[in-house]
């Protein structure tokens, strides 16, 4: 803003000299220029306040949308600007108008009136000193831009790596429909049978590829109850290593979730309460309990009960995308409850995989459930994509805000650079005309203008890179799979700054290259 006001004051130098010559006081001229600066700043504050009222609604909707379907993670935000926020905004705008308008106003009145009235406008501009303060502002602005853009790259890269992880399942076209059997008589032996009958009908619904149930949902922030596993004939592992998460699932759960069964078989209709107890372990559990061995057909002990391992599934993320989950043991709900930790069969969540383009199965499934089990209510319906998005709500918010502020900072840097270059071109118009009269080409003039900005832009980039290396470790805990001093991210931030600087320098340099040498020399 100071650079733009200085360029504007430079263009009005003769007008100000005339005002001073007919009796206007310097203080009165400064007051007029400061009034214009403050009005400009307050207008920006008003637009910013209106923008804030609009943006906070979008922000609340964005955070709520990412958290609404994640149990226990809904974030309640009150971000409506009140009178204190408005007062602070206009106070900051007023102070900014004074601070950044004072230097141009002060410099505009420090002129020799006689010289201003006798000499041409171009000669007058040539007499004005070099604007070192403006160059310093652009250097600082460039350094801050490097820092903010690098932070945006770090948070954006971290979010991208989280979203491209192997979750252990495919969230596309997967619907989660949770039911509440809390008031259903849990000791009734027909509850597993009821689940089985519902799944048989659900698998035949139009557009459904696979339907199943599970007791704990991936990326829900919580895992199943813990069980201490051991292998018969082997020394017991320490409690920290034998601790395993338990999950009750249906026979087609891995088909519905898109989880690969690495070896063995899934559960089937023969895995009933009277049959041998069976289980499927995760790949992590197989590596821990049966290192360099084939676990299929082997047995493990859970609370004194032997369980035969019939399959190994790929690891799924349960607590979060960032953390390594403990070993997982999947048990068929048709054989539960045969031991604690469950006191009766818990409420299960139906997981339904639909074909691409198929409509939501919510309405059809609700009708099916009302018909087959009218006393079991549906708690909520959501998709696995919403579950994934909810698990990275904080990372998505950080990335979105940092990218927004990175773009805003680049825009401010471009405005500041444009202001000082426009001021320089205005001041050196006569010189540029003489150079072109002596044979300088348009490309030479463009390079002359660009070169004048290159030094302080490069200085700002160097300072910004040093600042990034110094402070980026403070956000290391918020990042995933990307180093705070990542060379590629730094290179991208520098490239963005250079591109913005080139665009900002383009218009003043083109204007300088269009100077008419003859008209410039006649004015001189």
């Amino acid at each position: 803003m100071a650079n733009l006001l200085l360029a504007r004051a430079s263009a009005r130098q003769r007008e100000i000299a005339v005002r001073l010559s007919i009796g206007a006081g310097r203080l009165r001229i400064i007051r007029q220029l400061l009034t214009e600066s403050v009005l400009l700043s307050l207008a920006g504050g008003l637009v910013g306040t209106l923008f804030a009222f609009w943006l906070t609604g979008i922000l609340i909707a964005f955070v709520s949308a990412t958290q609404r379907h994640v149990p226990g993670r809904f974030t309640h935000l009150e971000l409506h600007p009140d009178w204190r926020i408005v007062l602070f905004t206009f106070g900051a705008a007023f102070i900014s108008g004074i601070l950044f308008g004072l230097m141009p106003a002060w410099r505009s009145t420090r002129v020799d009136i006689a010289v201003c009235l006798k000499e041409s406008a171009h000669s007058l501009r040539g007499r004005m000193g070099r604007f070192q303060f403006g160059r310093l502002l652009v250097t600082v602005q460039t350094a801050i831009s490097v820092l903010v853009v690098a932070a945006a790259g770090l948070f954006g890269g971290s979010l991208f790596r989280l979203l491209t992880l192997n979750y252990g399942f495919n969230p596309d076209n997967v619907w989660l429909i949770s039911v509440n059997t809390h008031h259903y008589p849990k000791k009734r032996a027909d509850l597993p049978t009821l689940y089985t009958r519902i799944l048989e009908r659900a698998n035949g619904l139009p557009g459904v590829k696979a339907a199943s149930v599970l007791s704990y949902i991936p990326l829900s922030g919580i895992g199943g109850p813990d069980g201490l596993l051991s292998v018969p004939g082997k020394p017991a592992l320490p409690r920290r290593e034998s601790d395993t998460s338990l999950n009750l699932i249906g026979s087609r759960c891995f088909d519905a979730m898109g989880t690969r069964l690495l070896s063995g078989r899934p559960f089937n209709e023969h895995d009933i309460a009277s049959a041998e107890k069976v289980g499927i372990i995760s790949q992590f559990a197989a590596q821990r309990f049966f290192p360099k061995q084939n676990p299929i057909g082997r047995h493990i002990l859970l609370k004194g009960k032997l369980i035969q391992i019939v399959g190994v599934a790929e690891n799924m993320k349960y607590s979060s995308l960032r953390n390594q989950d403990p070993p997982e043991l999947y048990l068929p709900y048709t054989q539960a409850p045969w031991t604690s930790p469950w006191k009766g069969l818990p409420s299960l969540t139906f997981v339904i995989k639909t074909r691409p383009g198929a409509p939501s199965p919510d309405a059809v499934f609700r009708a099916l459930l009302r018909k087959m089990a009218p006393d079991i209510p549906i708690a909520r319906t959501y998709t696995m994509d919403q579950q994934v998005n909810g698990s990275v709500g904080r990372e998505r918010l950080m990335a979105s805000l940092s990218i927004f502020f990175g773009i805003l900072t680049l825009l401010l840097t471009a405005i500041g650079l444009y202001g000082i270059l426009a001021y320089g071109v205005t001041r050196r118009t006569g010189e540029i005309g003489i150079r072109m009269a002596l044979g300088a080409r348009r490309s030479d003039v463009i390079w002359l203008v660009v070169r004048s900005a290159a030094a302080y832009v490069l200085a700002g980039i160097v300072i910004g890179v040093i600042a990034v290396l110094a402070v980026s470790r403070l956000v290391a805990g918020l990042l995933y799979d990307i180093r705070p001093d990542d060379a590629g991210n730094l290179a991208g931030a520098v490239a963005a700054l250079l591109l913005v600087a080139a665009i900002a320098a383009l218009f003043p340099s083109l204007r300088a290259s269009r100077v008419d040498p003859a008209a410039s020399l006649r004015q001189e």
Side-chain angles (χ1 to χ4, degrees), residues 49-69:
T49 302
L50 295 176
F51 180 72
F53 277 94
W54 171 73
L55 183 63
T56 49
I58 295 178
L59 181 62
I60 293 174
F62 173 78
V63 175
S64 300
T66 59
Q67 301 294 317
R68 183 182 300 124
H69 300 281

Side-chain angles (χ1 to χ4, degrees), residues 134-146 409 413 456 459-460 463-464:
R135 290 180 171 85
L136 176 63
L137 285 179
V138 172
T139 300
V140 173
Q141 220 167 25
T142 303
I144 294 175
S145 293
V146 172
T409 307
T413 301
Y456 40 90
I463 295 172

Side-chain angles (χ1 to χ4, degrees), residues 132-445:
Q132 299 298 337
F133 180 67
R135 290 180 171 85
L136 176 63
L137 285 179
V138 172
T139 300
V140 173
Q141 220 167 25
T142 303
I144 294 175
S145 293
V146 172
L147 184 62
V148 177
V149 173
L154 289 175
F155 288 123
S158 182
L159 176 64
F160 176 78
R161 285 165 171 79
L162 284 172
L163 292 177
T164 53
L165 276 177
N166 178 17
Y167 313 138
F169 57 88
N170 181 4
D172 296 339
N173 304 311
V174 175
W175 294 80
L176 300 171
I177 304 176
S178 60
V179 297
N180 184 4
T181 58
H182 178 71
H183 299 293
Y184 192 84
K186 293 191 175 184
K187 292 186 178 180
R188 286 180 53 178
D190 65 338
L191 189 54
T193 304
L194 178 62
Y195 276 123
T196 301
R197 289 173 50 222
I198 294 174
L199 287 178
E200 288 175 353
R201 297 286 299 275
N203 275 290
L205 293 176
V208 173
K209 291 183 65 176
S212 189
V213 290
L214 73 170
S215 57
Y216 291 90
I217 306 163
L219 296 181
S220 60
I222 55 175
D226 296 335
L228 299 179
L229 301 187
S230 60
V231 179
K234 289 187 177 182
L237 296 174
R239 181 183 181 90
R240 179 173 53 86
E241 297 183 18
S242 62
D243 197 10
T244 304
S245 179
L246 308 180
N247 202 346
L248 292 179
I249 67 172
S251 59
R252 302 194 64 186
C253 181
F254 297 134
D255 292 337
M257 292 296 299
T259 301
R260 291 180 301 147
L261 195 63
L262 303 178
S263 62
R265 66 167 179 87
F267 299 136
N268 56 40
E269 66 277 6
H270 302 294
D271 300 318
I272 57 177
S274 59
E276 181 182 12
K277 304 303 183 265
V278 295
I280 297 174
I281 57 177
S282 64
Q283 187 178 10
F284 185 32
Q287 294 168 350
R288 172 165 294 183
F289 294 104
F290 304 97
K292 299 181 180 179
Q293 296 179 352
N294 182 9
I296 304 301
R298 306 287 297 273
H299 290 80
I300 55 175
L301 275 172
L302 172 64
K303 295 186 178 297
K305 299 286 186 177
L306 275 177
I307 302 174
Q308 183 185 24
I309 304 301
V310 297
V312 177
E314 67 175 321
N315 300 320
M316 277 196 275
K317 295 284 187 178
Y318 279 89
S319 59
S320 73
L321 290 176
R322 291 173 174 267
N323 300 330
Q324 172 66 55
D325 287 292
E328 193 82 16
L329 172 62
Y330 299 97
L331 301 171
Y333 76 90
T334 50
Q335 291 188 336
W338 50 267
T339 181
S340 60
W342 291 286
K343 296 180 180 178
L345 191 62
S347 296
L348 302 181
T349 297
F350 288 89
V351 52
I352 300 177
K353 176 79 169 183
T354 59
R355 293 181 174 84
S360 166
D362 181 40
V364 179
F365 186 83
R366 285 178 182 271
L368 173 64
L369 193 63
R370 280 195 301 268
K371 180 180 179 181
M372 300 188 66
D375 52 347
I376 297 181
I378 292 180
R380 60 186 180 275
T381 301
Y382 51 105
T383 67
M384 204 63 219
D385 279 323
Q386 291 170 331
Q387 185 81 357
V388 173
N389 290 332
S391 69
V392 293
R394 183 187 69 171
E395 290 82 358
R396 189 183 296 275
L397 181 63
M398 292 290 292
S400 301
L401 291 179
S402 62
I403 291 173
F404 168 77
F405 284 114
I407 294 173
L408 182 62
T409 307
L410 288 175
L411 178 62
L412 293 177
T413 301
I415 293 174
L417 183 60
Y418 170 83
I420 197 169
L421 290 179
Y423 164 72
V425 169
T426 302
R427 182 174 62 85
R428 302 174 66 181
T429 301
E431 173 197 342
I432 293 171
I434 293 174
R435 287 177 178 270
M436 297 186 72
L438 294 176
R441 295 169 300 180
R442 293 184 62 182
S443 59
D444 298 327
V445 174

